[in-house]
């Protein structure tokens, strides 16, 4: 498959007072409304990040199983209280084959850790100690802040390009509840692949489904993927198009929240992960507003909108690592 649907956009003009700023802004709007996906050219140094920042973050997966399990969600470690944030292991009963950790805003903004409300969406994030993973928490905080800033830049460009007041799309993120997720798709055990239909290729190039088709629930996803690749996007014809990895670039896709907020002008596009025979890593940042933010299309009639946290909790039940979770803390042992 050739890359024909997904445009590549240099974000440099948005980060400086550049004459091409308007052209870049329009390209972002076109990508959001046409395909719901784009890749953006931006080097870590442009965001104040070290060149090896992704490798630093992925050191998490060098922890042994015992240390990772200490950070697991209540669903996977009943002795733990964290429900929404923390580590999740691969789920053998599901085609999606991944492990990862979800990190909330308190990793960069400790004052946002909420230990009083009992709402899992606001809970503190469990992290490895400094002795277990030296320097990791500092790297996480730096990366989280950089992605927050970049998300704000893209949100502002979208608002201006769509003819909205800039603050319409940026104000709800002042105390946002974004999630930084580190993901590892391990090589699948041969016995699990034998029972699964391959999605493409043959022989040594055969690939299986390791991440089921889905649309992201949030606003904007800023994704780094390693050189293994495997991300595919569904085209209007129903085919799947590869999104190949690029150096000094991120994949950006637009979620169901933003589609709602734009009255359907912006596309939330289905995507999946294929692979199975090689270990793969990715780092998505889900740029999301405050839990209590009201989502409604500007000047739209309808149901009057909804509270973001409520809709997020409802929609995330479709993902295997969240299935069966309850939001009310009283429901847990």
């Amino acid at each position: 498959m050739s890359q024909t649907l997904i445009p590549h956009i240099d974000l440099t003009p948005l980060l400086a007072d550049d004459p091409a700023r308007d052209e870049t802004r329009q390209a972002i709007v076109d990508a959001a409304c046409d395909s719901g996906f784009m890749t953006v050219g931006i080097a870590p140094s442009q965001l104040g990040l070290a060149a090896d920042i992704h490798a630093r973050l992925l050191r998490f997966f060098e922890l042994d199983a015992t240390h990772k399990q200490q950070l697991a969600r209540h669903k996977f470690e009943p002795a733990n209280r964290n429900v929404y944030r923390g580590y999740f292991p691969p789920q053998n009963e599901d085609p999606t084959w991944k492990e990862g950790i979800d990190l909330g805003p308190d990793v960069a903004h400790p004052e946002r850790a909420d230990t009083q409300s009992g709402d899992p969406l606001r809970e503190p994030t469990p992290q490895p100690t400094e002795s277990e993973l030296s320097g990791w928490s500092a790297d996480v905080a730096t990366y989280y802040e950089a992605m927050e800033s970049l998300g704000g830049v893209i949100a502002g460009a979208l608002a201006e390009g769509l003819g909205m007041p800039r603050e319409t799309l940026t104000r709800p993120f002042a105390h946002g509840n974004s999630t930084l997720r580190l993901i590892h798709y391990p090589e699948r055990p041969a016995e699990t692949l034998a029972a699964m239909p391959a999605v493409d290729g043959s022989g040594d190039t055969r690939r299986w489904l390791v991440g089921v088709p889905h649309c992201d629930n949030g606003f904007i996803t800023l994704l780094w993927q390693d050189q293994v690749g495997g991300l595919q996007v569904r085209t209007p014809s129903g085919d799947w198009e590869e999104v190949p990895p690029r150096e000094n670039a991120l994949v950006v896709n637009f979620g169901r929240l933003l589609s709602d907020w734009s009255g359907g002008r912006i596309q939330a596009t289905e995507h999946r992960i294929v692979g199975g025979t090689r270990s793969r890593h990715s780092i998505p940042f889900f740029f999301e507003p405050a839990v209590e933010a009201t989502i409604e299309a500007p000047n739209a009639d309808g149901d009057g909108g909804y509270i973001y946290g409520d809709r997020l909790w409802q929609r995330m039940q479709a993902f295997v690592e969240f299935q069966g979770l309850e939001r009310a803390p009283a429901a847990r042992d």
Side-chain angles (χ1 to χ4, degrees):
M1 290 179 288
S2 60
Q3 187 175 10
T4 57
L5 176 71
I6 313 301
H8 182 70
I9 302 169
D10 180 8
L11 284 193
T12 301
L14 286 185
L15 304 178
D17 188 13
D18 190 295
R21 183 182 179 89
D22 290 344
E23 181 180 340
T24 302
R25 182 187 300 119
Q26 187 59 49
I28 291 172
V29 172
D30 290 345
C33 294
D34 293 343
S35 67
F37 263 81
M38 61 185 179
T39 59
V40 296
I42 188 163
S45 60
Q46 291 179 275
L47 299 172
L49 297 170
D52 64 345
I53 185 62
H54 301 109
R56 292 187 188 187
L57 298 183
L58 293 174
R59 290 189 299 134
F60 174 81
F61 297 108
E62 297 173 7
L63 290 172
D64 61 34
T66 299
H67 284 97
K68 287 188 289 188
Q69 192 65 19
Q70 289 172 354
L71 307 173
R73 295 176 184 151
H74 178 78
K75 175 178 179 177
F76 308 110
E77 183 53 65
N80 291 348
R81 303 296 294 173
N82 49 300
V83 171
Y84 185 59
R85 305 296 184 190
Y87 174 72
F88 57 90
Q91 303 297 287
N92 292 330
E93 72 276 8
D94 193 89
T96 296
W97 183 256
K98 66 184 179 184
E99 63 172 336
I101 184 169
D102 284 328
L103 307 157
D106 60 302
V107 299
H109 310 286
E111 71 280 2
R112 295 193 200 172
D114 181 351
T115 59
Q116 302 300 317
S117 70
D119 184 353
L121 293 178
R122 308 172 193 263
E123 69 187 12
T125 302
Q127 298 186 63
T129 65
E130 184 67 14
S131 62
E132 292 168 342
L133 211 54
S134 178
W136 185 81
S137 291
D139 287 334
V140 162
T142 299
Y143 193 83
Y144 190 102
E145 289 183 306
M147 292 300 104
E148 264 192 321
S149 177
L150 181 59
V153 168
I154 295 175
L158 280 171
E160 293 169 3
L162 291 169
M164 300 178 185
R166 187 181 181 88
E167 59 271 18
T168 299
L169 292 187
T170 57
R171 186 189 306 114
F173 294 88
H175 294 90
N177 198 48
S178 300
T179 296
L180 172 61
R181 171 176 280 197
L182 310 181
I183 306 177
H184 175 217
Y185 296 86
E187 179 180 339
R188 288 203 76 146
E191 62 271 18
T192 68
L193 289 175
M196 297 173 58
V199 297
D200 62 17
S202 61
D204 292 340
T205 66
R206 183 173 296 172
R207 297 189 298 181
W208 289 261
L209 187 69
V210 294
V212 296
H214 66 281
C215 295
D216 288 354
N217 287 322
F219 189 83
I220 298 170
T221 301
L222 306 170
L223 172 73
W224 174 87
Q225 58 173 337
D226 66 14
Q227 293 302 306
V228 173
L231 173 63
Q232 295 182 334
V233 174
R234 190 183 290 278
T235 67
S237 67
D239 294 330
W240 291 98
E241 180 176 338
E242 206 84 17
V243 186
R246 287 176 175 262
E247 292 288 347
N248 294 326
L250 297 171
V251 180
V252 179
N253 67 283
F254 305 94
R256 296 169 73 185
L257 161 61
L258 186 52
S259 181
D260 293 345
W261 213 334
S262 67
R265 293 176 66 185
I266 292 175
Q267 302 300 308
T269 303
E270 194 175 38
H271 49 286
R272 69 181 186 181
I273 304 296
V274 299
T277 59
R278 297 175 64 189
S279 176
R280 176 185 186 271
H281 294 87
S282 66
I283 303 175
F285 181 82
F286 303 102
F287 183 60
E288 301 176 0
V291 172
E292 67 275 9
T294 299
I295 309 304
E296 55 185 327
N299 303 316
D301 297 326
D303 62 6
Y306 55 83
I307 302 302
Y308 173 63
D310 296 344
R311 187 63 58 87
L312 172 66
W313 190 269
Q314 176 188 26
R315 286 175 170 172
M316 75 183 192
Q317 298 296 313
F319 295 86
V320 62
E321 63 268 25
F322 292 111
Q323 288 172 1
L325 298 185
E326 297 189 36
R327 193 172 180 184
R332 307 198 306 275
D333 294 333

